[in-house]
Amino acid sequence: MKKMNKVALVSAVAASVGAVGPVAAADWSTMTTGLSFAGEETAIIAIVGVLFGFYVVRKGATLLLSMIR
């Protein structure tokens, strides 16, 4: 009986994922038209932003895992 419930659950999840279909990406061209990404300063700011984002995610994950333990 348990195996049949698992099969039904997996089938329901697969059907709901398949029903969603592709999602169109947001169009940011109107927001970034006036910006120039050609300078070195922009590249440095972008790299620092990515590294800072990684740091924040890592600290948040560490905090959440410490709460679970």
Side-chain angles (χ1 to χ4, degrees):
M1 186 70 172
K2 288 184 179 182
K3 188 170 185 164
M4 290 178 59
N5 288 339
K6 288 181 183 179
V7 171
L9 178 64
V10 170
S11 300
V13 169
S16 66
V17 170
V20 172
V23 177
D27 183 19
W28 292 94
S29 62
T30 57
M31 304 263 313
T32 59
T33 301
L35 298 175
S36 171
F37 293 104
E40 292 86 8
E41 296 88 3
T42 308
I44 292 170
I45 291 171
I47 292 169
V48 169
V50 168
L51 291 174
F52 182 71
F54 176 74
Y55 173 77
V56 168
V57 169
R58 186 173 172 198
K59 277 297 198 185
T62 305
L63 177 66
L64 288 175
L65 287 174
S66 69
M67 289 179 180
I68 292 172
R69 293 181 197 170

Short mmCIF file of all heavy atoms in Angstrom, two decimals:
data_model
loop_
_atom_site.label_atom_id
_atom_site.label_comp_id
_atom_site.label_asym_id
_atom_site.label_seq_id
_atom_site.Cartn_x
_atom_site.Cartn_y
_atom_site.Cartn_z
N MET A 1 0.82 -1.19 0.00
CA MET A 1 0.00 0.00 0.00
C MET A 1 0.87 1.26 0.00
O MET A 1 0.56 2.21 -0.67
CB MET A 1 -0.93 -0.03 1.21
CG MET A 1 -1.92 1.07 1.25
SD MET A 1 -3.14 0.83 -0.05
CE MET A 1 -4.28 2.06 0.33
N LYS A 2 1.97 1.26 0.76
CA LYS A 2 2.84 2.43 0.82
C LYS A 2 3.50 2.71 -0.52
O LYS A 2 3.67 3.86 -0.90
CB LYS A 2 3.90 2.24 1.90
CG LYS A 2 3.38 2.32 3.30
CD LYS A 2 4.52 2.22 4.30
CE LYS A 2 3.99 2.34 5.71
NZ LYS A 2 5.06 2.28 6.69
N LYS A 3 3.87 1.65 -1.22
CA LYS A 3 4.53 1.82 -2.50
C LYS A 3 3.59 2.49 -3.51
O LYS A 3 4.00 3.34 -4.29
CB LYS A 3 5.03 0.49 -3.03
CG LYS A 3 5.88 0.62 -4.26
CD LYS A 3 6.56 -0.67 -4.61
CE LYS A 3 7.48 -0.42 -5.77
NZ LYS A 3 8.44 -1.47 -5.97
N MET A 4 2.33 2.15 -3.48
CA MET A 4 1.35 2.74 -4.39
C MET A 4 1.19 4.23 -4.09
O MET A 4 1.04 5.04 -5.00
CB MET A 4 0.02 2.01 -4.31
CG MET A 4 0.08 0.61 -4.91
SD MET A 4 -1.45 -0.30 -4.77
CE MET A 4 -2.58 0.75 -5.63
N ASN A 5 1.23 4.62 -2.79
CA ASN A 5 1.11 6.03 -2.42
C ASN A 5 2.31 6.82 -2.94
O ASN A 5 2.17 7.95 -3.38
CB ASN A 5 1.00 6.18 -0.91
CG ASN A 5 -0.35 5.72 -0.39
OD1 ASN A 5 -1.31 5.65 -1.15
ND2 ASN A 5 -0.42 5.40 0.89
N LYS A 6 3.50 6.23 -2.86
CA LYS A 6 4.70 6.91 -3.35
C LYS A 6 4.63 7.10 -4.86
O LYS A 6 4.99 8.15 -5.38
CB LYS A 6 5.95 6.13 -2.98
CG LYS A 6 6.29 6.19 -1.51
CD LYS A 6 7.56 5.41 -1.21
CE LYS A 6 7.85 5.40 0.27
NZ LYS A 6 9.05 4.62 0.58
N VAL A 7 4.14 6.09 -5.56
CA VAL A 7 4.02 6.18 -7.01
C VAL A 7 3.02 7.27 -7.38
O VAL A 7 3.24 8.06 -8.30
CB VAL A 7 3.62 4.82 -7.62
CG1 VAL A 7 3.27 4.96 -9.08
CG2 VAL A 7 4.73 3.81 -7.41
N ALA A 8 1.92 7.34 -6.66
CA ALA A 8 0.91 8.37 -6.92
C ALA A 8 1.47 9.76 -6.65
O ALA A 8 1.22 10.70 -7.41
CB ALA A 8 -0.33 8.12 -6.06
N LEU A 9 2.25 9.89 -5.59
CA LEU A 9 2.84 11.18 -5.26
C LEU A 9 3.84 11.61 -6.33
O LEU A 9 3.82 12.75 -6.78
CB LEU A 9 3.53 11.10 -3.89
CG LEU A 9 4.23 12.37 -3.43
CD1 LEU A 9 3.22 13.49 -3.24
CD2 LEU A 9 5.01 12.13 -2.18
N VAL A 10 4.70 10.70 -6.75
CA VAL A 10 5.68 11.02 -7.79
C VAL A 10 4.98 11.39 -9.09
O VAL A 10 5.37 12.33 -9.78
CB VAL A 10 6.66 9.84 -7.98
CG1 VAL A 10 7.53 10.05 -9.20
CG2 VAL A 10 7.52 9.66 -6.74
N SER A 11 3.93 10.68 -9.42
CA SER A 11 3.18 10.98 -10.64
C SER A 11 2.53 12.36 -10.56
O SER A 11 2.53 13.11 -11.54
CB SER A 11 2.11 9.94 -10.88
OG SER A 11 2.70 8.66 -11.03
N ALA A 12 1.99 12.71 -9.42
CA ALA A 12 1.34 14.01 -9.24
C ALA A 12 2.36 15.14 -9.34
O ALA A 12 2.10 16.17 -9.96
CB ALA A 12 0.62 14.06 -7.90
N VAL A 13 3.53 14.94 -8.74
CA VAL A 13 4.58 15.97 -8.80
C VAL A 13 5.05 16.14 -10.23
O VAL A 13 5.21 17.26 -10.71
CB VAL A 13 5.75 15.61 -7.85
CG1 VAL A 13 6.93 16.51 -8.10
CG2 VAL A 13 5.29 15.70 -6.41
N ALA A 14 5.28 15.05 -10.93
CA ALA A 14 5.74 15.12 -12.32
C ALA A 14 4.70 15.81 -13.20
O ALA A 14 5.04 16.61 -14.07
CB ALA A 14 6.04 13.73 -12.84
N ALA A 15 3.43 15.54 -12.96
CA ALA A 15 2.38 16.17 -13.76
C ALA A 15 2.30 17.66 -13.48
O ALA A 15 2.12 18.47 -14.41
CB ALA A 15 1.04 15.51 -13.46
N SER A 16 2.48 18.08 -12.22
CA SER A 16 2.40 19.50 -11.90
C SER A 16 3.60 20.25 -12.45
O SER A 16 3.48 21.39 -12.89
CB SER A 16 2.29 19.71 -10.39
OG SER A 16 3.48 19.27 -9.76
N VAL A 17 4.78 19.64 -12.45
CA VAL A 17 5.97 20.28 -13.02
C VAL A 17 5.82 20.40 -14.52
O VAL A 17 6.15 21.43 -15.12
CB VAL A 17 7.25 19.49 -12.65
CG1 VAL A 17 8.44 19.99 -13.43
CG2 VAL A 17 7.51 19.58 -11.15
N GLY A 18 5.29 19.40 -15.16
CA GLY A 18 5.10 19.44 -16.61
C GLY A 18 4.04 20.43 -17.04
O GLY A 18 4.09 20.98 -18.13
N ALA A 19 3.07 20.70 -16.17
CA ALA A 19 1.99 21.61 -16.53
C ALA A 19 2.42 23.07 -16.49
O ALA A 19 1.80 23.92 -17.13
CB ALA A 19 0.81 21.39 -15.59
N VAL A 20 3.48 23.39 -15.75
CA VAL A 20 3.90 24.77 -15.62
C VAL A 20 4.43 25.31 -16.94
O VAL A 20 4.07 26.39 -17.37
CB VAL A 20 4.98 24.91 -14.51
CG1 VAL A 20 5.58 26.29 -14.50
CG2 VAL A 20 4.39 24.57 -13.16
N GLY A 21 5.27 24.57 -17.60
CA GLY A 21 5.81 24.98 -18.89
C GLY A 21 6.91 26.01 -18.75
O GLY A 21 7.29 26.40 -17.67
N PRO A 22 7.42 26.47 -19.89
CA PRO A 22 8.51 27.44 -19.86
C PRO A 22 8.03 28.81 -19.40
O PRO A 22 6.91 29.22 -19.68
CB PRO A 22 9.00 27.48 -21.30
CG PRO A 22 7.84 27.04 -22.10
CD PRO A 22 7.08 26.07 -21.24
N VAL A 23 8.90 29.51 -18.71
CA VAL A 23 8.59 30.84 -18.21
C VAL A 23 9.47 31.83 -18.94
O VAL A 23 10.67 31.63 -19.06
CB VAL A 23 8.83 30.92 -16.69
CG1 VAL A 23 8.58 32.31 -16.18
CG2 VAL A 23 7.97 29.91 -15.96
N ALA A 24 8.90 32.91 -19.42
CA ALA A 24 9.67 33.92 -20.14
C ALA A 24 10.53 34.72 -19.17
O ALA A 24 10.10 35.05 -18.06
CB ALA A 24 8.72 34.85 -20.89
N ALA A 25 11.76 35.01 -19.57
CA ALA A 25 12.67 35.79 -18.74
C ALA A 25 12.27 37.27 -18.78
O ALA A 25 11.67 37.75 -19.74
CB ALA A 25 14.10 35.62 -19.25
N ALA A 26 12.61 37.98 -17.72
CA ALA A 26 12.31 39.40 -17.65
C ALA A 26 13.16 40.18 -18.64
O ALA A 26 14.31 39.82 -18.90
CB ALA A 26 12.56 39.91 -16.24
N ASP A 27 12.62 41.23 -19.19
CA ASP A 27 13.34 42.08 -20.14
C ASP A 27 13.87 43.30 -19.41
O ASP A 27 13.12 44.18 -19.01
CB ASP A 27 12.40 42.50 -21.27
CG ASP A 27 13.12 43.32 -22.32
OD1 ASP A 27 14.35 43.27 -22.37
OD2 ASP A 27 12.43 44.02 -23.08
N TRP A 28 15.19 43.35 -19.20
CA TRP A 28 15.83 44.43 -18.46
C TRP A 28 16.42 45.48 -19.40
O TRP A 28 17.12 46.38 -18.95
CB TRP A 28 16.94 43.87 -17.57
CG TRP A 28 16.40 43.04 -16.45
CD1 TRP A 28 16.23 41.70 -16.44
CD2 TRP A 28 15.92 43.50 -15.19
NE1 TRP A 28 15.69 41.28 -15.26
CE2 TRP A 28 15.49 42.37 -14.48
CE3 TRP A 28 15.81 44.74 -14.61
CZ2 TRP A 28 14.97 42.47 -13.20
CZ3 TRP A 28 15.28 44.83 -13.33
CH2 TRP A 28 14.86 43.70 -12.64
N SER A 29 16.17 45.40 -20.69
CA SER A 29 16.81 46.31 -21.64
C SER A 29 16.43 47.77 -21.39
O SER A 29 17.26 48.66 -21.60
CB SER A 29 16.48 45.90 -23.06
OG SER A 29 15.09 45.99 -23.28
N THR A 30 15.22 48.03 -20.94
CA THR A 30 14.83 49.42 -20.68
C THR A 30 15.55 49.99 -19.47
O THR A 30 15.79 51.19 -19.41
CB THR A 30 13.31 49.52 -20.46
OG1 THR A 30 12.94 48.65 -19.38
CG2 THR A 30 12.54 49.13 -21.71
N MET A 31 15.93 49.14 -18.52
CA MET A 31 16.63 49.63 -17.33
C MET A 31 18.12 49.84 -17.59
O MET A 31 18.73 50.67 -16.94
CB MET A 31 16.45 48.61 -16.18
CG MET A 31 15.05 48.27 -15.84
SD MET A 31 14.32 49.16 -14.48
CE MET A 31 15.50 49.11 -13.22
N THR A 32 18.70 49.08 -18.49
CA THR A 32 20.15 49.11 -18.68
C THR A 32 20.57 49.81 -19.96
O THR A 32 21.75 49.76 -20.31
CB THR A 32 20.71 47.68 -18.68
OG1 THR A 32 20.09 46.94 -19.72
CG2 THR A 32 20.47 47.00 -17.35
N THR A 33 19.67 50.46 -20.65
CA THR A 33 20.02 51.09 -21.93
C THR A 33 21.04 52.20 -21.74
O THR A 33 21.98 52.32 -22.52
CB THR A 33 18.74 51.67 -22.59
OG1 THR A 33 17.83 50.61 -22.79
CG2 THR A 33 19.06 52.33 -23.91
N GLY A 34 20.92 53.01 -20.71
CA GLY A 34 21.82 54.14 -20.51
C GLY A 34 23.12 53.79 -19.81
O GLY A 34 23.98 54.65 -19.65
N LEU A 35 23.31 52.57 -19.40
CA LEU A 35 24.52 52.18 -18.67
C LEU A 35 25.57 51.64 -19.62
O LEU A 35 25.26 50.92 -20.56
CB LEU A 35 24.19 51.12 -17.62
CG LEU A 35 23.23 51.53 -16.53
CD1 LEU A 35 22.91 50.34 -15.65
CD2 LEU A 35 23.80 52.65 -15.69
N SER A 36 26.82 51.96 -19.33
CA SER A 36 27.93 51.43 -20.11
C SER A 36 28.70 50.44 -19.24
O SER A 36 29.16 50.79 -18.15
CB SER A 36 28.85 52.55 -20.56
OG SER A 36 30.02 52.01 -21.14
N PHE A 37 28.82 49.21 -19.70
CA PHE A 37 29.54 48.19 -18.95
C PHE A 37 30.93 47.96 -19.52
O PHE A 37 31.47 46.87 -19.44
CB PHE A 37 28.75 46.88 -18.97
CG PHE A 37 27.46 46.96 -18.21
CD1 PHE A 37 26.26 47.08 -18.88
CD2 PHE A 37 27.46 46.94 -16.83
CE1 PHE A 37 25.07 47.17 -18.20
CE2 PHE A 37 26.27 47.02 -16.13
CZ PHE A 37 25.07 47.14 -16.82
N ALA A 38 31.53 48.99 -20.13
CA ALA A 38 32.80 48.82 -20.82
C ALA A 38 34.00 49.17 -19.95
O ALA A 38 35.12 48.84 -20.31
CB ALA A 38 32.82 49.69 -22.08
N GLY A 39 33.82 49.83 -18.83
CA GLY A 39 34.96 50.30 -18.04
C GLY A 39 35.49 49.29 -17.06
O GLY A 39 34.83 48.32 -16.69
N GLU A 40 36.75 49.53 -16.64
CA GLU A 40 37.38 48.65 -15.65
C GLU A 40 36.71 48.78 -14.29
O GLU A 40 36.59 47.81 -13.55
CB GLU A 40 38.88 48.99 -15.50
CG GLU A 40 39.71 48.66 -16.71
CD GLU A 40 39.71 49.80 -17.74
OE1 GLU A 40 39.17 50.89 -17.43
OE2 GLU A 40 40.22 49.58 -18.84
N GLU A 41 36.26 50.00 -13.96
CA GLU A 41 35.61 50.20 -12.67
C GLU A 41 34.33 49.38 -12.57
O GLU A 41 34.03 48.79 -11.53
CB GLU A 41 35.27 51.69 -12.46
CG GLU A 41 36.46 52.59 -12.38
CD GLU A 41 36.90 53.09 -13.75
OE1 GLU A 41 36.22 52.79 -14.76
OE2 GLU A 41 37.92 53.78 -13.81
N THR A 42 33.62 49.33 -13.66
CA THR A 42 32.38 48.55 -13.68
C THR A 42 32.67 47.06 -13.49
O THR A 42 31.95 46.36 -12.77
CB THR A 42 31.63 48.77 -15.00
OG1 THR A 42 31.47 50.16 -15.20
CG2 THR A 42 30.27 48.11 -14.97
N ALA A 43 33.74 46.58 -14.12
CA ALA A 43 34.11 45.17 -13.97
C ALA A 43 34.49 44.86 -12.53
O ALA A 43 34.10 43.83 -11.98
CB ALA A 43 35.26 44.83 -14.91
N ILE A 44 35.26 45.77 -11.91
CA ILE A 44 35.66 45.56 -10.52
C ILE A 44 34.44 45.57 -9.61
O ILE A 44 34.31 44.72 -8.71
CB ILE A 44 36.69 46.63 -10.10
CG1 ILE A 44 38.00 46.39 -10.86
CG2 ILE A 44 36.93 46.60 -8.60
CD1 ILE A 44 39.01 47.50 -10.71
N ILE A 45 33.53 46.51 -9.82
CA ILE A 45 32.32 46.58 -9.00
C ILE A 45 31.48 45.31 -9.18
O ILE A 45 30.92 44.78 -8.20
CB ILE A 45 31.51 47.84 -9.34
CG1 ILE A 45 32.26 49.08 -8.87
CG2 ILE A 45 30.12 47.80 -8.73
CD1 ILE A 45 31.67 50.38 -9.36
N ALA A 46 31.39 44.82 -10.40
CA ALA A 46 30.62 43.60 -10.66
C ALA A 46 31.24 42.40 -9.95
O ALA A 46 30.54 41.59 -9.34
CB ALA A 46 30.53 43.34 -12.15
N ILE A 47 32.57 42.28 -10.01
CA ILE A 47 33.25 41.15 -9.35
C ILE A 47 33.08 41.24 -7.85
O ILE A 47 32.78 40.24 -7.18
CB ILE A 47 34.73 41.13 -9.76
CG1 ILE A 47 34.86 40.77 -11.24
CG2 ILE A 47 35.52 40.15 -8.90
CD1 ILE A 47 36.24 40.96 -11.81
N VAL A 48 33.26 42.44 -7.29
CA VAL A 48 33.09 42.61 -5.84
C VAL A 48 31.64 42.30 -5.44
O VAL A 48 31.39 41.67 -4.40
CB VAL A 48 33.50 44.04 -5.42
CG1 VAL A 48 33.09 44.33 -4.00
CG2 VAL A 48 35.00 44.22 -5.58
N GLY A 49 30.69 42.70 -6.27
CA GLY A 49 29.28 42.41 -5.98
C GLY A 49 28.99 40.92 -5.95
O GLY A 49 28.28 40.43 -5.08
N VAL A 50 29.55 40.20 -6.91
CA VAL A 50 29.35 38.74 -6.95
C VAL A 50 29.99 38.08 -5.73
O VAL A 50 29.39 37.21 -5.09
CB VAL A 50 29.92 38.15 -8.26
CG1 VAL A 50 29.99 36.63 -8.19
CG2 VAL A 50 29.08 38.59 -9.44
N LEU A 51 31.21 38.50 -5.39
CA LEU A 51 31.89 37.92 -4.22
C LEU A 51 31.15 38.25 -2.93
O LEU A 51 31.02 37.40 -2.05
CB LEU A 51 33.33 38.42 -4.14
CG LEU A 51 34.26 37.90 -5.25
CD1 LEU A 51 35.62 38.58 -5.15
CD2 LEU A 51 34.41 36.39 -5.17
N PHE A 52 30.64 39.48 -2.81
CA PHE A 52 29.88 39.85 -1.63
C PHE A 52 28.58 39.05 -1.55
O PHE A 52 28.19 38.61 -0.46
CB PHE A 52 29.59 41.35 -1.62
CG PHE A 52 28.86 41.80 -0.40
CD1 PHE A 52 29.50 41.85 0.83
CD2 PHE A 52 27.53 42.17 -0.47
CE1 PHE A 52 28.83 42.26 1.96
CE2 PHE A 52 26.84 42.58 0.66
CZ PHE A 52 27.50 42.64 1.88
N GLY A 53 27.92 38.86 -2.68
CA GLY A 53 26.70 38.05 -2.70
C GLY A 53 26.97 36.62 -2.26
O GLY A 53 26.21 36.03 -1.49
N PHE A 54 28.09 36.06 -2.74
CA PHE A 54 28.47 34.71 -2.32
C PHE A 54 28.72 34.66 -0.82
O PHE A 54 28.32 33.73 -0.13
CB PHE A 54 29.73 34.26 -3.08
CG PHE A 54 30.25 32.93 -2.67
CD1 PHE A 54 29.60 31.77 -3.03
CD2 PHE A 54 31.39 32.83 -1.90
CE1 PHE A 54 30.07 30.54 -2.63
CE2 PHE A 54 31.88 31.61 -1.49
CZ PHE A 54 31.22 30.46 -1.86
N TYR A 55 29.40 35.68 -0.28
CA TYR A 55 29.68 35.75 1.15
C TYR A 55 28.39 35.80 1.96
O TYR A 55 28.25 35.10 2.97
CB TYR A 55 30.55 36.98 1.44
CG TYR A 55 30.78 37.25 2.91
CD1 TYR A 55 31.68 36.49 3.62
CD2 TYR A 55 30.08 38.25 3.57
CE1 TYR A 55 31.90 36.73 4.97
CE2 TYR A 55 30.28 38.50 4.91
CZ TYR A 55 31.19 37.73 5.60
OH TYR A 55 31.39 37.97 6.94
N VAL A 56 27.45 36.62 1.53
CA VAL A 56 26.18 36.76 2.26
C VAL A 56 25.41 35.44 2.25
O VAL A 56 24.88 35.01 3.27
CB VAL A 56 25.34 37.90 1.65
CG1 VAL A 56 23.92 37.88 2.18
CG2 VAL A 56 25.99 39.23 1.93
N VAL A 57 25.36 34.78 1.10
CA VAL A 57 24.66 33.49 1.00
C VAL A 57 25.33 32.46 1.88
O VAL A 57 24.66 31.69 2.58
CB VAL A 57 24.60 33.03 -0.47
CG1 VAL A 57 24.13 31.58 -0.57
CG2 VAL A 57 23.68 33.93 -1.27
N ARG A 58 26.65 32.45 1.88
CA ARG A 58 27.38 31.47 2.71
C ARG A 58 27.15 31.72 4.20
O ARG A 58 26.92 30.78 4.97
CB ARG A 58 28.87 31.55 2.37
CG ARG A 58 29.68 30.51 3.05
CD ARG A 58 31.10 30.53 2.56
NE ARG A 58 31.90 29.63 3.36
CZ ARG A 58 33.19 29.66 3.43
NH1 ARG A 58 33.86 30.55 2.73
NH2 ARG A 58 33.85 28.82 4.18
N LYS A 59 27.19 32.98 4.62
CA LYS A 59 26.94 33.30 6.02
C LYS A 59 25.50 32.94 6.41
O LYS A 59 25.26 32.42 7.49
CB LYS A 59 27.19 34.79 6.28
CG LYS A 59 28.63 35.12 6.51
CD LYS A 59 29.13 34.44 7.74
CE LYS A 59 30.37 35.07 8.24
NZ LYS A 59 30.96 34.38 9.38
N GLY A 60 24.56 33.22 5.53
CA GLY A 60 23.17 32.89 5.82
C GLY A 60 22.96 31.40 5.92
O GLY A 60 22.25 30.92 6.81
N ALA A 61 23.60 30.63 5.04
CA ALA A 61 23.48 29.17 5.10
C ALA A 61 24.10 28.64 6.39
O ALA A 61 23.54 27.74 7.02
CB ALA A 61 24.15 28.55 3.89
N THR A 62 25.24 29.20 6.78
CA THR A 62 25.88 28.77 8.03
C THR A 62 24.97 29.06 9.21
O THR A 62 24.83 28.24 10.12
CB THR A 62 27.24 29.48 8.20
OG1 THR A 62 28.03 29.23 7.05
CG2 THR A 62 27.96 28.99 9.43
N LEU A 63 24.35 30.23 9.20
CA LEU A 63 23.45 30.60 10.29
C LEU A 63 22.25 29.67 10.35
O LEU A 63 21.87 29.18 11.43
CB LEU A 63 22.98 32.05 10.12
CG LEU A 63 21.99 32.57 11.15
CD1 LEU A 63 22.64 32.63 12.51
CD2 LEU A 63 21.46 33.91 10.73
N LEU A 64 21.65 29.37 9.21
CA LEU A 64 20.51 28.47 9.18
C LEU A 64 20.88 27.06 9.63
O LEU A 64 20.13 26.42 10.37
CB LEU A 64 19.89 28.44 7.79
CG LEU A 64 19.14 29.69 7.36
CD1 LEU A 64 18.69 29.57 5.92
CD2 LEU A 64 17.93 29.92 8.26
N LEU A 65 22.04 26.58 9.17
CA LEU A 65 22.46 25.25 9.59
C LEU A 65 22.75 25.19 11.08
O LEU A 65 22.49 24.17 11.73
CB LEU A 65 23.69 24.81 8.78
CG LEU A 65 23.41 24.45 7.34
CD1 LEU A 65 24.73 24.17 6.60
CD2 LEU A 65 22.49 23.25 7.24
N SER A 66 23.30 26.27 11.64
CA SER A 66 23.55 26.27 13.09
C SER A 66 22.24 26.28 13.86
O SER A 66 22.17 25.76 14.97
CB SER A 66 24.41 27.47 13.47
OG SER A 66 23.71 28.67 13.33
N MET A 67 21.19 26.88 13.31
CA MET A 67 19.89 26.88 13.99
C MET A 67 19.26 25.50 13.97
O MET A 67 18.53 25.12 14.89
CB MET A 67 18.95 27.87 13.31
CG MET A 67 19.28 29.29 13.53
SD MET A 67 18.09 30.30 12.64
CE MET A 67 18.67 31.93 13.04
N ILE A 68 19.51 24.74 12.90
CA ILE A 68 18.93 23.41 12.79
C ILE A 68 19.58 22.44 13.78
O ILE A 68 18.92 21.59 14.35
CB ILE A 68 19.08 22.89 11.35
CG1 ILE A 68 18.20 23.72 10.42
CG2 ILE A 68 18.71 21.41 11.24
CD1 ILE A 68 18.40 23.42 8.95
N ARG A 69 20.86 22.60 13.97
CA ARG A 69 21.58 21.68 14.89
C ARG A 69 21.19 21.88 16.28
O ARG A 69 20.58 22.05 17.03
CB ARG A 69 23.10 21.92 14.79
CG ARG A 69 23.63 21.53 13.47
CD ARG A 69 25.11 21.76 13.44
NE ARG A 69 25.56 21.75 12.06
CZ ARG A 69 26.76 22.11 11.68
NH1 ARG A 69 27.63 22.51 12.54
NH2 ARG A 69 27.07 22.08 10.43
#
